Amino acid sequence: MARHAAGPLRVSPTPTRDEILAYIKDSPGRITSRDVARAFRLRGPARESLKRLLRDLEHDGFLERSGGRLEPTDGRLPDVAVLEIAEIDIDGDLWCRPETWQGEAQPPRILLVPDRRRTHVAALGIGDRVLARLTETSEHFEARVMRVIGTAPDQIIGVYDLVGGQGRVRSTQARRGTDCAVSGADSMGAAPGDLVMADVLPARRAGLRQARVRECLGAMDSPKSLSLIAIHSHGIPTEFGAEALAQAELANVPPLGQRTDLRALPLVTIDPEDARDFDDAVWARADPDADNPDGWEIVVAIADVTSAVSAGGPLDSEARERGNSVYLPDRVVPMLPEVLSAGVCSLRPGEERACLAARMWIDGDGTILRHRFERALMRSAARLTYRQAQDAVEGRGDAVPEALVGEVIGPLYGAFAALDRARRRRQPLEIDLPERCIRFDEDGTILAIDQRESLDSHRLVEAFMIAANVCAAETLSQARTPCMYRVHGAPERDSVAALRDFLETLDMRIPRGQTLRPEHFNTVLRAAKGTAHEHLVNQVALRAQAQAVYSPDNAGHFGLALKKYAHFTSPIRRYADLLVHRALIATNKLGVDGNIVSLEDLRDTGEAISAAERRGMAVERDALDRFTTAFMADRVGATFAGRISGVTRFGLFVTLDESGADGLVPARMLGERFRLDTGRHALIGERSGTIYRLGDALEVRLAEADPLTGRLRLDLVAVPGGLAVRPKGHRPPRRSKKSAAHRRARS
């Protein structure tokens, strides 16, 4: 007797995966592939296609077979699956997610573990796809790579060379790694040693991939090549369209009109020595109001970019795409064309410029009593560097006129002292990590890698900017105007738990059972100050924090301990600030070029510019690492002091004390097999019990420095004071004669 399909009859000559899954789920009882074919009226070749679809669904973990019957898995993971690498954690371990996931809950986190017989996971990175075999442990799933999946990149940036008369391009991306062959006709005249951008041609059946040179970027040994590699590797836009450039050329400084006249106010800019775009100027005086003794009046004037970049125009579209300017050791990739960023919109000394000013009144304890926003015309009285401002207030040097010191610099520091009192009461997060600074000579050759100095002048400007940003957020919030907030959430529970467990190994504590605030982290940071663990504790505390994002959904700023915060002070280099300016202008009726964006559009834009910010940060780190590697290249063989900054199954990441450079000591160079103790952030020798823990001091030898990929490889020389201690109660495993004989046979 013919068996009828369990579900309703469908008519679909080519059912989709979703249709097949929906049919199986909607059908009562268990059904077979024959039932599915009958339901969709599939015959002949269509049935073969159905078989392939069912096999794919089974392979991807959506279906399972039992006695020929098909059952939906409801999101359970299969034994073998395609995974995408989604995260690299504090220890450098790779965590994956299923490429396809059917369950209603969040997909499980899957740890990618090394398999000595197959692909080494150290060569993989975020976004890579692998076919892996899965096993479930008591804590999580683990995956072992069977093979790496993915197509070759459409473009590569690399160094052109000749090998046996044949052109080759060696990629700068270590994990992409393979060479491409280039025929003579496709070389575009590139010479050996040139840095090139090349298009990868369709793959051949055998041999090297073929590529065609698109652009010669200059000699690889040129100082500028390292930034170019980072820029092109991350897809940073560097050229503006013709329409955007034409609009920028038409921009000019608007007349005074209805603007407030601030040209007589001695506003000054305070920036790094090599700054070219000046988008904020500051001024302060003691408040003359007798009802506010010890209080201050402050003006923070910000470049009025809105007057030059109209909402929805070509310049605006390109600025949104970039999201922010990218600052590299030797150059800036600007968000706006240079004619604006370093010209018409830049608050250059002695030149009239349009601005949007936040005027604030604070009391002697730094509390903001009231504020207002003004659209104005200003003329900067001076362009100061951080060092000049600091020297002036401390009575050193003569770069700043004496009148300016007394009338401008002194009051600025007085108002800063009040704002700093408010900051100390608020207790924002006080993570203190050194920042690397590369010094060049006139030819672009690296002279030194220094630690950027930290001055009160830096903190002064930061305090003034934070106050103005708070006022911008409060103004828009009170008016119920949609606003692009800067949101920094509290750390995730799992991150805090991991941090807490680690700190307890150092005899440090973070409170349990209460809502954490920045001051709880600060207590630990202060306890670590001056100890051997100071840098480590700051680093681990930073890694535990959430990623700050742009969003119209205000959730406060955990790190700054503020309930409302929006970026307002850098519209030349951040698109979020430009949106806040337009909203303030519209809300306060300060001009016709204001603009209020809908919540839905703000959410989309927030996600886009948050991603652009992360991309920019990755480029900056990449370029800094490449410059550092180039600086270290002629010191191969030298020994350095350093500390372990990352612990992974495949080795130890070590940060060198002298330069801040990061390098890898591969696990295979440690002399025995080590296991990873994730709770202690340590590698433990299975035979000797030797422990290498996050933060431990080491002496290492530089074995390899490759500026092309930005990688340093290190060899372990010694642990100061001898080997790390063996864990209490540890006994090396005994090896039987049989196992020893077995090993000899295998060798």
Side-chain angles (χ1 to χ4, degrees), residues 665-674 685-688 690 692 716 735:
V665 179
R668 67 180 184 274
M669 306 301 292
L670 296 178
E672 63 175 293
R673 185 170 180 173
F674 281 76
E686 293 188 353
R687 177 176 52 80
S688 66
T690 300
Y692 296 113
L716 183 62
R735 298 186 177 185

Side-chain angles (χ1 to χ4, degrees), residues 362-444:
I362 65 173
D363 65 18
D365 290 325
T367 301
I368 300 174
L369 304 176
R370 66 185 190 279
H371 67 270
R372 71 167 183 259
F373 285 91
E374 304 169 336
R375 216 165 181 196
L377 202 64
M378 63 161 284
R379 184 187 294 114
S380 172
R383 175 268 198 268
L384 303 177
T385 67
Y386 288 116
R387 171 49 65 186
Q388 286 175 334
Q390 193 67 34
D391 285 348
V393 77
E394 294 177 358
R396 294 193 305 270
D398 54 2
V400 180
E402 187 174 343
L404 200 63
V405 175
E407 296 176 12
V408 177
I409 303 298
L412 284 174
Y413 275 84
F416 163 57
L419 289 172
D420 198 50
R421 285 190 281 274
R423 182 195 64 82
R424 289 198 297 271
R425 287 197 311 275
R426 198 174 74 242
Q427 285 226 42
L429 200 59
E430 294 179 347
I431 292 174
D432 183 19
L433 286 170
E435 184 180 352
R436 277 182 284 171
C437 174
I438 298 180
R439 289 193 290 113
F440 300 92
D441 65 12
E442 294 181 356
D443 298 326

Side-chain angles (χ1 to χ4, degrees), residues 23 66 117 206 211 238 272 310 328 391 436 540 563 637 640 642 682 699 718:
Y23 170 74
S66 177
R117 297 169 299 173
T238 57
S310 57
L328 305 177
D391 285 348
R436 277 182 284 171
V540 175
K563 294 180 179 179
F640 301 91
E699 187 178 354

Side-chain angles (χ1 to χ4, degrees), residues 214-292:
R214 165 184 287 196
E215 183 181 1
C216 291
L217 303 174
M220 178 60 202
D221 57 5
S222 168
K224 70 177 183 179
S225 66
L226 299 175
S227 284
L228 288 174
I229 291 173
I231 290 167
H232 285 280
S233 296
H234 293 269
I236 299 294
T238 57
E239 302 294 331
F240 290 92
E243 290 185 13
L245 290 174
Q247 183 182 355
E249 290 291 343
L250 293 174
N252 51 41
V253 179
L256 180 62
Q258 299 298 311
R259 293 172 180 265
T260 302
D261 191 350
L262 298 181
R263 288 175 292 184
L265 200 69
L267 289 148
V268 296
T269 61
I270 306 176
D271 292 281
E273 187 172 348
D274 57 354
R276 297 185 63 194
D277 51 345
F278 312 124
D279 52 9
D280 57 81
V282 291
W283 170 86
R285 70 171 178 176
D287 190 350
D289 187 347
D291 292 334
N292 186 26

Side-chain angles (χ1 to χ4, degrees), residues 235-548:
I236 299 294
T238 57
E239 302 294 331
F240 290 92
E243 290 185 13
L245 290 174
Q247 183 182 355
E249 290 291 343
L250 293 174
N252 51 41
V253 179
L256 180 62
Q258 299 298 311
R259 293 172 180 265
T260 302
D261 191 350
L262 298 181
R263 288 175 292 184
L265 200 69
L267 289 148
V268 296
T269 61
I270 306 176
D271 292 281
E273 187 172 348
D274 57 354
R276 297 185 63 194
D277 51 345
F278 312 124
D279 52 9
D280 57 81
V282 291
W283 170 86
R285 70 171 178 176
D287 190 350
D289 187 347
D291 292 334
N292 186 26
D294 302 322
W296 299 88
E297 180 184 355
I298 296 171
V299 173
V300 175
I302 306 300
D304 188 356
V305 176
T306 302
S307 63
V309 183
S310 57
L315 262 178
D316 183 56
S317 297
E318 296 215 25
R320 183 186 185 277
E321 179 189 359
R322 285 162 172 77
N324 50 262
S325 298
V326 179
Y327 291 82
L328 305 177
D330 63 339
R331 74 187 67 204
V332 177
V333 183
M335 184 183 78
L336 297 173
E338 192 168 342
V339 67
L340 297 180
S341 61
V344 174
C345 294
S346 185
L347 306 182
R348 300 194 296 203
E351 299 183 18
E352 291 187 1
R353 289 293 184 266
C355 66
L356 185 59
R359 190 181 291 266
M360 299 167 283
W361 288 265
I362 65 173
D363 65 18
D365 290 325
T367 301
I368 300 174
L369 304 176
R370 66 185 190 279
H371 67 270
R372 71 167 183 259
F373 285 91
E374 304 169 336
R375 216 165 181 196
L377 202 64
M378 63 161 284
R379 184 187 294 114
S380 172
R383 175 268 198 268
L384 303 177
T385 67
Y386 288 116
R387 171 49 65 186
Q388 286 175 334
Q390 193 67 34
D391 285 348
V393 77
E394 294 177 358
R396 294 193 305 270
D398 54 2
V400 180
E402 187 174 343
L404 200 63
V405 175
E407 296 176 12
V408 177
I409 303 298
L412 284 174
Y413 275 84
F416 163 57
L419 289 172
D420 198 50
R421 285 190 281 274
R423 182 195 64 82
R424 289 198 297 271
R425 287 197 311 275
R426 198 174 74 242
Q427 285 226 42
L429 200 59
E430 294 179 347
I431 292 174
D432 183 19
L433 286 170
E435 184 180 352
R436 277 182 284 171
C437 174
I438 298 180
R439 289 193 290 113
F440 300 92
D441 65 12
E442 294 181 356
D443 298 326
T445 303
I446 303 172
L447 293 176
I449 299 177
D450 300 324
Q451 182 174 320
R452 195 180 298 276
E453 61 182 349
S454 179
L455 304 170
D456 277 347
S457 54
H458 291 104
R459 290 183 281 275
L460 180 154
V461 173
E462 180 183 45
F464 277 56
M465 299 305 116
I466 288 173
N469 288 337
V470 168
C471 291
E474 288 186 348
T475 296
L476 297 177
S477 175
Q478 290 171 3
R480 299 186 182 278
T481 302
C483 174
M484 185 65 82
Y485 293 99
R486 181 62 166 176
V487 176
H488 182 225
E492 297 288 339
R493 183 179 303 175
D494 290 346
S495 298
V496 173
L499 175 63
R500 182 181 286 117
D501 291 344
F502 173 69
L503 290 175
E504 286 177 355
T505 69
L506 302 178
D507 258 350
M508 297 181 181
R509 302 286 186 272
I510 286 183
R512 296 178 184 269
Q514 59 179 287
T515 301
L516 286 180
R517 298 187 299 274
E519 62 190 80
H520 295 127
F521 289 91
N522 292 342
T523 299
V524 171
L525 296 171
R526 284 192 290 269
K529 194 168 184 65
T531 71
H533 302 297
E534 178 180 359
H535 179 78
L536 166 67
V537 172
N538 276 270
Q539 188 178 58
V540 175
L542 176 62
R543 292 178 180 178
Q545 304 305 313
Q547 173 75 50

